[in-house]
Amino acid sequence: MTDEAHPPVSLGDVLKREHGEIMEVRKRRLANFNPGSMRPRAAAPARSVAEGAPPSGGMSDLEMHDPDWVHVIEKAHEANFVGLAFSGGGIRSATFNLGVLQALADLKLLCRIDYLSTVSGGGYIGSWLVAWTQRLGSFARLEEQISAHRVHLKDDKEQPPVRFLRVFSNYLTPKIGFFSGDTWAMIAIYLRNLLLNLTTVLALLATFLLLPSVAKAWACTALACPQVGYGLAAMGLAPLSVAFLMILVNMGFLSAPKMKQSPRFTEQRCILLLVSAPLFGAAVAAALWLTKRSPFLLGKSPLALTSDEVFPYENSVLIGAIGYCVIWGLARLGEVIYGKQMSAAKKNVATVISKRPRFRDGWMIEAGASVCAGALAGWLFALLSGLPFFHGVAAALTVGVPLVVAVFLIAGVLQIGLMGVIFRDWKREWRGRLGGWLLLFAIVWLALFWLALFFPSFIRHDALVSAAWKTLAAKYLTPAWILSTSATVFAGNSKASLKPD
C-alpha cells in the first residue's frame, strides 16, 4: 500500500541525484588536481541487452516508463566514473585494502576514485580513510601522506594514522604476553566457542546416528509378531500404489497443454514426499518381509525348508508381473481420470483429445512393458531372498533396503526401454531425475546405517583396524591438530605486525 505523503521515487530520480552528488564531490576533490579530458560520447560502452529484451532498435519497459534512467546512465559513462569496492574478511581484508590504497596513492590514482563501496573488514579500512580525509580537509594531502613510498615520508616514518593501524591491528589481543588479560580472554573465548560449536554438531550427529538404532529396535519388535508378514505386505503395497499414482499423474501433466501455474504436486518437495518417500517405505517393508522369511529367523537350514517356506522363482516372477500390472493399471486409471478433469478445465479441449489416440494405440506396449518389468522385479526379489544380508535385522536395514531400491530402479529402466518412443523424452528426463534422487537417498541410507550399526563393532573387534586407528589418531591426527591450532594462534599474535618495514 503506497503512502500518499511519501510517494515512491523512480530509479531515474535516485540515479540523477546520486550523479549530482558524485559530480559535486569530484569537483571538490580535484580542486588541486588536473582531472584530464572526459571520454567522448561515442566511446561510451554500449548497454548490455538482457535475454528476452527487445533489440537495439526497440525500447524496454524501463526505458519507456523511466527515460531519465537511460539519460543518467549515459551521463555516467561520459563522466568516466570510477568505483572501488573493498570486500570483507576481517583484519586480513583491511590490511590488504590498506596496501591497495597505498599503491593507488603511489601511482597518483587515488584521487580518481569517485565511489567507495565497503563491507565488513573493507568497511573497517573505508571508515578509517573517510575519517582521515575529514581531519585533513584535503584529499590531495591525504594522497601524499598515505603513500608508502619512502621518498615521500619525512624522516622515514609513517604517518600516525597508518602507524595506529599497524599497532592496533591485533585487535583480539592488543596486549600480548602470558600474564596479559587480553591473551587469556582470547583463550577463554576460543574454548567457549569451540565447545559450543562441537556440542551442537555432535548433538546433531548423535541424533542422526540414533535413528538407525531406533529403527532396528522397532523392526525386531515387529518381526516378533506371528502375523507381521501380512502387515508388511500391506505396508509395502500401499505406499507403492501412492508412488505409482503420483508418477503417472505427473506424467499426465507433462503431456497436457502448459498451464500458467503448475500444480503443487509437480513441485520437487511434493515429488520427494509423495514419490520418493513412499518408494523408500515400500523398500523398507520389503526388506523386513524378506528377513521374516529368512532361514536364520526360522531357525532352519536353507536346505531343510519346506515347500511352503521356500520362495520359488516361478512364483515370484508371476506375483511380480501381476502385482506390477495391477498397481500400474490402477495408477493409470487415476491418471486418465485426472487428465479428463484437467482437460475440461482447459479452453483448448480439442488439443487434449487429439492426443488420446496415441495412448489407446500404445496401451498394449505399455501393458507388455509393465508385465516384463514386474517379472524382472519378482525374479530379482527372489534372488535377494537367498542373500545373507537378510539373515539379520541390522544387515537387512543397512544393505537390504538399498538393494530393494536398486530392484525398483532396474525394473523402471526395463519398462522405459521397452515402451520405446511412446514414452517421450521429457518423461524420460523426469524419471531419470527421480532415479537420481532415489540413488542418492540409498547411498546416504547405506552410509548412515553402516556407521550407526556396524562401524563401532568394526573398530572395536577388528584388531588390525583398531591398532591402525589408534596409531593414526595418536601419532598423526592429534599432533597435527595441536600444531595447526598453535601455529594459527601464534601467527595471529606475532610481534612482527608492530614493526613496519
Side-chain angles (χ1 to χ4, degrees):
M1 184 175 181
T2 305
D3 190 352
E4 299 295 339
H6 302 282
V9 182
S10 64
L11 178 61
D13 292 337
V14 174
L15 294 179
K16 184 186 299 185
R17 183 172 180 178
E18 191 174 51
H19 181 276
E21 293 180 356
I22 293 177
M23 293 300 296
E24 180 65 24
V25 173
R26 172 187 277 190
K27 182 180 178 180
R28 298 178 182 179
R29 189 179 67 252
L30 299 180
N32 300 323
F33 293 97
N34 179 17
S37 60
M38 295 296 180
R39 182 167 51 188
R41 182 183 182 89
R47 291 179 287 109
S48 60
V49 180
E51 183 179 356
S56 57
M59 297 182 65
S60 65
D61 294 338
L62 182 60
E63 292 173 341
M64 290 188 295
H65 292 88
D66 196 358
D68 292 339
W69 178 81
V70 181
H71 180 64
V72 173
I73 294 298
E74 291 177 351
K75 289 180 63 177
H77 285 302
E78 293 173 4
N80 196 14
F81 285 158
V82 178
L84 180 63
F86 286 157
S87 63
I91 196 64
R92 293 168 297 179
S93 173
T95 304
F96 175 81
N97 293 329
L98 174 61
V100 172
L101 291 174
Q102 291 181 321
L104 291 174
D106 288 341
L107 298 174
K108 302 300 181 182
L109 295 176
L110 189 59
C111 63
R112 295 285 185 179
I113 305 301
D114 298 298
Y115 200 97
L116 183 63
S117 175
T118 64
V119 63
S120 189
Y124 177 69
I125 199 67
S127 59
W128 168 85
L129 177 68
V130 173
W132 194 9
T133 305
Q134 290 290 106
R135 293 189 180 98
L136 292 178
S138 171
F139 206 80
R141 293 179 58 192
L142 172 71
E143 188 176 62
E144 180 181 354
Q145 294 188 20
I146 198 177
S147 174
H149 203 287
R150 295 302 184 186
V151 177
H152 300 156
L153 300 179
K154 296 180 180 180
D155 300 329
D156 198 27
K157 293 181 179 180
E158 291 180 317
Q159 294 297 324
V162 179
R163 178 65 180 175
F164 181 87
L165 279 182
R166 297 190 183 279
V167 172
F168 293 98
S169 62
N170 194 8
Y171 61 93
L172 288 179
T173 54
K175 296 182 179 180
I176 44 183
F178 184 79
F179 294 102
S180 171
D182 295 335
T183 301
W184 287 102
M186 187 272 296
I187 295 175
I189 293 173
Y190 175 81
L191 293 177
R192 179 197 64 190
N193 295 337
L194 178 65
L195 291 177
L196 287 176
N197 291 333
L198 288 180
T199 301
T200 303
V201 173
L202 290 178
L204 183 62
L205 181 61
T207 302
F208 279 105
L209 292 178
L210 279 176
L211 294 179
S213 300
V214 174
K216 177 185 176 182
W218 173 85
C220 292
T221 304
L223 292 178
C225 301
Q227 303 298 327
V228 70
Y230 298 102
L232 291 175
M235 290 175 58
L237 293 177
L240 204 59
S241 302
V242 173
F244 276 33
L245 175 60
M246 293 307 302
I247 289 174
L248 289 177
V249 167
N250 278 271
M251 296 295 101
F253 173 76
L254 292 176
S255 302
K258 297 301 180 184
M259 303 174 65
K260 293 183 179 180
Q261 185 176 3
S262 301
R264 293 190 60 182
F265 62 79
T266 60
E267 298 177 359
Q268 179 171 292
R269 57 182 178 181
C270 292
I271 293 174
L272 294 177
L273 181 63
L274 299 176
V275 179
S276 300
L279 285 176
F280 240 88
V284 173
L288 293 179
W289 189 83
L290 288 175
T291 305
K292 178 66 176 178
R293 294 183 55 87
S294 68
F296 176 79
L297 292 184
L298 292 175
K300 298 181 180 181
S301 171
L303 300 179
L305 296 177
T306 64
S307 58
D308 296 333
E309 297 171 338
V310 175
F311 196 55
Y313 284 91
E314 56 271 17
N315 292 349
S316 62
V317 169
L318 181 61
I319 294 174
I322 296 176
Y324 200 96
C325 282
V326 170
I327 295 176
W328 191 266
L330 292 175
R332 199 70 170 93
L333 180 62
E335 179 207 3
V336 172
I337 296 174
Y338 172 78
K340 290 183 178 180
Q341 293 176 352
M342 188 167 56
S343 301
K346 301 294 292 181
K347 294 181 179 180
N348 191 10
V349 182
T351 304
V352 182
I353 297 177
S354 63
K355 294 184 178 181
R356 292 299 173 188
R358 185 178 61 82
F359 164 70
R360 291 198 295 266
D361 296 339
W363 72 269
M364 295 186 62
I365 299 177
E366 189 170 347
S370 301
V371 171
C372 294
L376 176 62
W379 183 82
L380 292 175
F381 199 67
L383 181 65
L384 292 181
S385 64
L387 297 179
F389 299 117
F390 300 95
H391 291 180
V393 176
L397 289 174
T398 304
V399 185
V401 174
L403 288 177
V404 176
V405 172
V407 171
F408 293 162
L409 295 177
I410 294 173
V413 169
L414 178 62
Q415 184 186 22
I416 294 174
L418 292 178
M419 282 194 289
V421 295
I422 70 171
F423 201 76
R424 297 303 180 95
D425 291 337
W426 56 83
K427 294 183 178 182
R428 295 175 185 268
E429 182 180 354
W430 190 94
R431 291 284 293 269
R433 183 176 292 273
L434 174 62
W437 279 111
L438 289 176
L439 184 60
L440 174 63
F441 293 158
I443 294 175
V444 173
W445 178 283
L446 177 63
L448 179 62
F449 273 71
W450 185 82
L451 284 175
L453 301 180
F454 289 95
F455 183 73
S457 59
F458 176 73
I459 292 294
R460 193 166 50 245
H461 298 301
D462 194 305
L464 181 61
V465 174
S466 179
W469 175 258
K470 291 180 180 179
T471 302
L472 179 65
K475 292 186 177 181
Y476 300 102
L477 295 182
T478 303
W481 178 79
I482 294 175
L483 289 176
S484 62
T485 304
S486 302
T488 304
V489 172
F490 284 116
N493 292 323
S494 175
K495 295 182 179 181
S497 59
L498 303 179
K499 297 179 181 180
D501 294 333

